[in-house]
Amino acid sequence: MLSKEPNKAPNQFPEKTLVEPQQIRYDILVEENVAGIFYLKNDRIAYANAAFSKVLGMPSSVLTGSSILDQIEEADRQVLEEGLEKIIRGEAELFSEDLQLKQEGEEATFFSLHLKVHSRQEGMVEIIGASRNATARVKKNIEFRKTKSKFEALYRNIIDGIVIYDYNQEKMVDHNEAALRILGYDDSAELMAINRLQLIPKYSSYFPGADMHQVTQYHGERVRNGEAFHSPGLFNGKGDKQVIVNVNVVPTFAKPGEAFVIFHDITSKVLSQQAEQESEKKYRDIFENSHEAIIYRKVSSGCPIICNQNALDIFGVATLEELAALQAKDFFVDNVIEGKSPQVYYEQKMQEALEKGRTEVSFWMKKQTGAIIRVFGILIGDPSDAENSKVISFLRDVTHLHQIQQNLNEKNDELKKYIDSNLQLENFAYFASHDLQTPLRSMISFTQLLKRKLQGRLSEEEQEYMNFIISSSNNMRNLVNDLLSYSRVNTSEINIKTIALKHLLTRLCAELKSSNPDRELQIHFNNIPEYIQADKTKIRQVFQNIISNGLKFSKKGVTPIVEINCREDQQSWMFSIKDNGIGIAPEFQHKIFLLFKRLHGNTEYEGTGIGLAMVKKIIEQHKGEIGLDSELGGGSNFWFTIKKQEALEE
Ligand code: ADP
């Protein structure tokens, strides 16, 4: 056990009885030595030279007898205590350690302390000690350890992947966590097992045409030369994963050919940049290839910033600068647009585009080539930069469309007038025919009365005149009646109901036959539906008019035969009424449906030219169509459709 009594009565330093010259040399050597030299008996200082006393800041006389342990900083005391105990117990002959000495108020001072057993006696070990200031070295060591741990922390925790790669051996030496994460490995062993050739794809679209195995082979050379460098790269991760990286290669200098390969994952950045570039390209393509003239201009100055080729063409200029130099008076044709000067008109429209987001413009413009065109445009406001708001104009030359529109408007006006006058005509036809009926009836009955009264007293010529008056009056009556029926078709509402068509046709045919008792005629019908939905009176009129015509316009000496047929689909019924009569030449076929259009005189075939016009009108009211197939001398086949009620409701 070491003595714990501090600074007890000092043991006597061996007395210098003989002062030999050799002794003097030793004394000088010890006393004047720059290193601290001391002598211990167990832990007690028996002698301290000037250098050691100086370092401890105490005269040798005070030091002598004190425990060396008391001179050591608390933190290091145990180290020395254990060392000394080992020596005293005879387990060690030497002790050597860097220790911090106690030094009040001053910065820590480290000494490298060496103890060596000089002699051992009963219960007493005499030890020679030497100390040398080791502060600088120890501090350096501490600093180094601190720096090392800082770098370790950085290496472990940095978000960049780091692998230490040996280019000489072509193998991984180490890697950090981030390297595993970025490359998608779970297991360190998997990453450690790959080399440069597996890490880097030999060819890739990222470096078109480059053999990256060859390129990176020179990296090893550069590392061996102690060069640090940067390069973009593409790494294979686990499986199909590929990572776009920015790489810094820095030699470790610990071993030739060994380097830190520090890589930063820029995949998402590059991909989003690519996507951005692609979408910008798309917008540019749209901009360049649009049919519109597109101009992006500042609202404050009205000055165009960018425009496409169509914009230059529409203004008839060659460059953006020429376009920018144009003033309102150079291209606006009208002095006033919507009650304002063109300049004010356009400025107001731009403001409107900014406030509402969108507005339209329309004006006449003079191109710089001299041509005058009508322009229609959409202005879109871009207020993103409040100080510098901008407007995008999409302009289009609509001269041709404008012309068509103009023509259309004129035609529309004409049509309106025509419809108005036609309505008036139809009204007139109705009232005229209606009002004409009474006087006409009186005229006919009085002429017939007169004829009867004058019977036998008229000359042959007078008799002929009388007959002429009567037949003309009858013609006129027929005309007035037909005209009235036609007008009624127009004025009366269509009243669609389910009607028993087969029954209706059977009765109609019987009536037609009985009203022509002297004529031989045939009417057949096939596939006629029992029921259809239609306006009964009107559809009866249709069949009556067409069948009557078929019987009327028959060939001389040929028995008229009329065949009625029907085909049905989901949407409608299609009726055909075919005769074996005189037929109609193709060039007249479109005319026969017009009012009063007749292809024959009254002497040949009686009629008023109203029947088919009426038929057409009724079919149109049933949302159907009508037409005919015929040729002169070859009979006629009139067809028409009636829309089914369900189809009408769709
Ligand atoms: P209308 O029979 O009173 O003369 P329509 O309007 O019924 O008047 O017919 C117009 C014209 O179409 C007829 O005058 C006739 O020239 C021609 N037409 C109509 N139906 C036939 C037919 N089935 N065969 C030949 N010509 C016909």
Side-chain angles (χ1 to χ4, degrees), residues 178-375:
L180 279 182
R181 179 178 41 78
I182 293 172
L183 297 173
Y185 288 101
D186 309 317
D187 185 1
S188 167
E190 284 181 277
L191 177 57
M192 290 299 284
I194 64 167
N195 64 18
R196 176 175 58 88
L197 303 182
Q198 289 150 318
L199 181 66
I200 298 166
K202 190 172 167 71
Y203 298 107
S204 72
S205 57
Y206 193 60
F207 298 106
D211 177 345
M212 290 311 288
H213 286 178
Q214 218 165 34
V215 171
T216 50
Q217 195 180 315
Y218 300 112
H219 288 183
E221 200 50 49
R222 294 171 77 177
V223 168
R224 278 186 284 278
N225 290 336
E227 191 188 331
F229 54 93
H230 166 84
S231 112
L234 183 68
F235 284 173
N236 285 323
K238 191 177 177 180
D240 291 339
K241 182 172 182 171
Q242 285 204 322
V243 192
I244 305 169
V245 284
N246 250 337
V247 188
N248 277 305
V249 181
V250 182
T252 61
F253 294 109
K255 206 173 151 196
E258 191 181 82
F260 293 109
V261 178
I262 306 160
F263 53 98
H264 187 69
D265 183 359
I266 53 166
T267 314
S268 54
K269 191 173 151 196
V270 169
L271 293 183
S272 73
Q273 264 173 4
Q274 270 175 4
E276 219 168 84
Q277 277 167 5
E278 268 168 33
S279 89
E280 200 189 303
K281 186 180 172 300
K282 252 182 238 159
Y283 282 122
R284 183 151 284 282
D285 282 353
I286 294 170
F287 179 73
E288 295 297 352
N289 300 314
S290 164
H291 288 298
E292 322 282 332
I294 307 176
I295 307 169
Y296 196 53
R297 61 172 90 228
K298 260 191 194 169
V299 175
S300 55
S301 60
C303 196
I305 304 165
I306 179 174
C307 74
N308 65 359
Q309 184 59 41
N310 278 353
L312 299 178
D313 293 347
I314 205 169
F315 280 87
V317 292
T319 62
L320 180 67
E321 289 69 33
E322 281 181 45
L323 180 64
L326 291 182
Q327 301 197 346
K329 65 175 170 48
D330 297 327
F331 56 87
F332 279 115
V333 173
D334 297 317
N335 292 330
V336 175
I337 305 174
E338 291 180 10
K340 301 149 207 153
S341 76
Q343 177 91 36
V344 172
Y345 167 77
Y346 216 85
E347 278 166 11
Q348 284 185 357
K349 284 288 183 185
M350 288 205 284
Q351 281 305 333
E352 199 176 306
L354 280 177
E355 282 157 24
K356 296 186 182 165
R358 177 189 193 280
T359 190
E360 292 176 1
V361 290
S362 189
F363 51 86
W364 286 103
M365 192 182 95
K366 190 172 81 195
K367 290 173 95 137
Q368 295 311 292
T369 52
I372 301 228
I373 57 169
R374 180 79 185 173
V375 172

Side-chain angles (χ1 to χ4, degrees), residues 309-514:
Q309 184 59 41
N310 278 353
L312 299 178
D313 293 347
I314 205 169
F315 280 87
V317 292
T319 62
L320 180 67
E321 289 69 33
E322 281 181 45
L323 180 64
L326 291 182
Q327 301 197 346
K329 65 175 170 48
D330 297 327
F331 56 87
F332 279 115
V333 173
D334 297 317
N335 292 330
V336 175
I337 305 174
E338 291 180 10
K340 301 149 207 153
S341 76
Q343 177 91 36
V344 172
Y345 167 77
Y346 216 85
E347 278 166 11
Q348 284 185 357
K349 284 288 183 185
M350 288 205 284
Q351 281 305 333
E352 199 176 306
L354 280 177
E355 282 157 24
K356 296 186 182 165
R358 177 189 193 280
T359 190
E360 292 176 1
V361 290
S362 189
F363 51 86
W364 286 103
M365 192 182 95
K366 190 172 81 195
K367 290 173 95 137
Q368 295 311 292
T369 52
I372 301 228
I373 57 169
R374 180 79 185 173
V375 172
F376 171 76
I378 293 170
L379 307 187
I380 306 285
D382 173 11
S384 52
D385 178 357
E387 306 267 292
N388 251 325
S389 36
K390 294 164 198 92
V391 161
I392 314 171
S393 321
F394 297 84
L395 305 179
R396 185 177 270 216
D397 176 352
V398 290
T399 316
H400 185 59
L401 279 176
H402 188 75
Q403 198 60 49
I404 292 173
Q405 176 81 38
Q406 229 36 11
N407 289 347
L408 210 64
N409 286 347
E410 280 166 22
K411 286 272 173 326
N412 259 349
D413 288 346
E414 275 172 28
L415 199 66
K416 241 164 106 188
K417 278 184 205 153
Y418 176 76
I419 289 170
D420 284 350
S421 67
N422 239 21
L423 279 176
Q424 282 169 11
L425 187 73
E426 280 179 2
N427 282 344
F428 169 76
Y430 177 79
F431 289 115
S433 49
H434 189 264
D435 293 354
L436 276 174
Q437 262 188 334
T438 322
L440 194 59
R441 228 179 281 132
S442 325
M443 213 169 86
I444 291 169
S445 45
F446 279 111
T447 315
Q448 274 166 346
L449 255 178
L450 207 58
K451 189 184 170 190
R452 239 180 287 144
K453 272 220 161 178
L454 295 173
Q455 189 87 40
R457 281 190 276 162
L458 292 173
S459 69
E460 208 171 299
E461 200 180 5
E462 285 166 338
Q463 185 73 36
E464 209 178 302
Y465 290 160
M466 184 65 86
N467 286 341
F468 191 68
I469 293 170
I470 291 171
S471 77
S472 293
S473 304
N474 280 334
N475 277 347
M476 196 166 168
R477 185 189 54 199
N478 291 341
L479 192 63
V480 167
N481 281 343
D482 283 358
L483 202 54
L484 201 59
S485 313
Y486 177 78
S487 302
R488 284 208 181 104
V489 165
N490 260 334
T491 47
S492 66
E493 280 197 2
I494 182 157
N495 181 17
I496 292 184
K497 282 194 177 140
T498 298
I499 54 170
L501 183 71
K502 209 167 184 176
H503 177 68
L504 182 148
L505 282 183
T506 313
R507 286 188 60 177
L508 176 64
C509 292
E511 275 172 34
L512 286 171
K513 277 183 189 160
S514 63

